[in-house]
Amino acid sequence: MLQGKTALITGSTSGIGFAVAQRLASTGANIVLNGLGDAGEIEIARSKMESQYGVRVIYNPADMTKPAEIKAMVEGAVGQFGKVDVLVNNAGIQHVAAIDDFPVARWDAIIAINMSSVFHTTRAALPAMKSAGWGRIINIASSHGLVASPYKSAYVTAKHGVVGLTKTTALEVAQQGITCNAICPGYVLTPLVEKQIPDMAKAHGVSEDEVVHDVLLAPQPTRKFVGLDELGALVLYLCSEGAVSLTGAALPIDGGWTAH
Ligand code: NAD
């Protein structure tokens, strides 16, 4: 389906981003991987993806807190592949603390990585998408882009911002063959979630098991984590011609969380 197209996925060395990259590669897209991690492990994953799916896969370590690195990554991908057809803004971090205890440096990092990086990649990728008359921008927001939870002030702020930027982007490019949507997942079991369980246990004063069942999955009526394969399938649908009129939307995939 995406033969000859190029997809850049920020934060794709782990979790949702890696799963989305694999799904897009499996349908023929060349891939730009990005994210932090052990250089040797990333190289193994990169070359495995290339040989498994017969596509070109490159890795760029741009730090999503650094606008100049983000610009260079997108322009490098355009230089190498001609354009970025599919941009998936996925990089994200979390910090769980009450507002009056929230470290200022963590606030700044979350706003930069989870929100401002989406502006910087989109800004850099749009000119080539406009010239091509085709593009798909898919922003991985969160249920927390639609509703709030306590102790996640920076994350909730950033994700609500991503939903707003998604709508503005969609309006600006609506007549140029480019769609822009936000995906709003509920809880998906990835390192990002696993890492916050001890802090949430502390903040809520309960055990780690209780955090999973009584805090994390409590707002999710299915009481199940959302699967990585489900996110890959939704991204692929948004890339399809069937989704050409679907733009400016914030799509929940949350087991019914935001139906409450
Ligand atoms: P993850 O921790 O497994 O992956 C995060 C990715 O972002 C990694 O590749 C990491 O290296 C990258 N990253 C972090 N800081 C970076 C930086 N400064 N520069 C470049 N890359 C950086 O987490 P995940 O759960 O796969 O999360 C992916 C996205 O999905 C995030 O935006 C997250 O907010 C969102 N999300 C996750 C869940 C969930 O339950 N896991 C739910 C809703 C939304």
Side-chain angles (χ1 to χ4, degrees):
M1 188 182 118
L2 293 174
Q3 274 90 0
K5 291 208 164 13
T6 299
L8 186 156
I9 304 103
T10 68
S12 45
T13 51
S14 170
I16 294 171
F18 186 67
V20 166
Q22 279 194 301
R23 188 62 181 258
L24 296 178
S26 76
T27 73
N30 295 317
I31 300 292
V32 182
L33 292 173
N34 159 262
L36 313 177
D38 176 80
E41 285 175 20
I42 293 170
E43 173 51 24
I44 291 169
R46 187 205 64 77
S47 67
K48 191 172 166 205
M49 203 180 284
E50 261 191 348
S51 54
Q52 192 170 356
Y53 301 115
V55 296
R56 284 180 66 200
V57 181
I58 62 171
Y59 165 67
N60 187 302
D63 181 341
M64 291 300 111
T65 65
K66 304 212 161 78
E69 290 187 20
I70 298 172
K71 185 166 182 275
M73 173 178 70
V74 176
E75 288 177 354
V78 171
Q80 203 150 348
F81 293 110
K83 58 195 177 325
V84 170
D85 304 278
V86 178
L87 170 64
V88 182
N89 287 304
N90 167 80
I93 59 168
Q94 175 62 285
H95 187 84
V96 180
I99 293 176
D100 42 346
D101 279 337
F102 212 93
V104 172
R106 288 286 84 196
W107 170 277
D108 289 344
I110 291 174
I111 297 299
I113 296 166
N114 296 19
M115 188 181 78
S116 299
S117 75
V118 181
F119 162 73
H120 295 298
T121 55
T122 302
R123 184 174 184 275
L126 273 179
M129 283 185 183
K130 286 181 179 175
S131 302
W134 197 94
R136 294 288 186 268
I137 301 172
I138 299 161
N139 298 327
I140 306 299
S142 167
S143 303
H144 286 120
L146 303 172
V147 295
S149 293
Y151 313 121
K152 297 187 175 179
S153 54
Y155 189 87
V156 168
T157 302
K159 295 298 187 179
H160 275 68
V162 167
V163 169
L165 178 57
T166 300
K167 293 176 185 175
T168 303
T169 306
L171 294 178
E172 288 190 17
V173 296
Q175 294 180 21
Q176 295 175 77
I178 304 165
T179 68
C180 179
N181 291 287
I183 293 179
C184 300
Y187 282 109
V188 187
L189 196 56
T190 66
L192 179 137
V193 169
E194 284 164 349
K195 273 184 268 179
Q196 65 187 278
I197 291 173
D199 286 343
M200 288 180 79
K202 213 166 110 190
H204 290 269
V206 297
S207 75
E208 295 191 14
D209 275 353
E210 286 169 318
V211 164
V212 172
H213 296 103
D214 302 338
V215 181
L216 285 180
L217 295 179
Q220 222 150 279
T222 50
R223 294 288 174 132
K224 284 185 187 155
F225 287 106
V226 178
L228 288 170
D229 51 338
E230 299 173 55
L231 288 158
L234 183 53
V235 168
L236 202 54
Y237 171 67
L238 289 173
C239 293
S240 73
E241 290 312 309
V244 74
S245 301
L246 207 179
T247 195
L251 302 165
I253 174 164
D254 63 5
W257 176 342
T258 52
H260 278 299

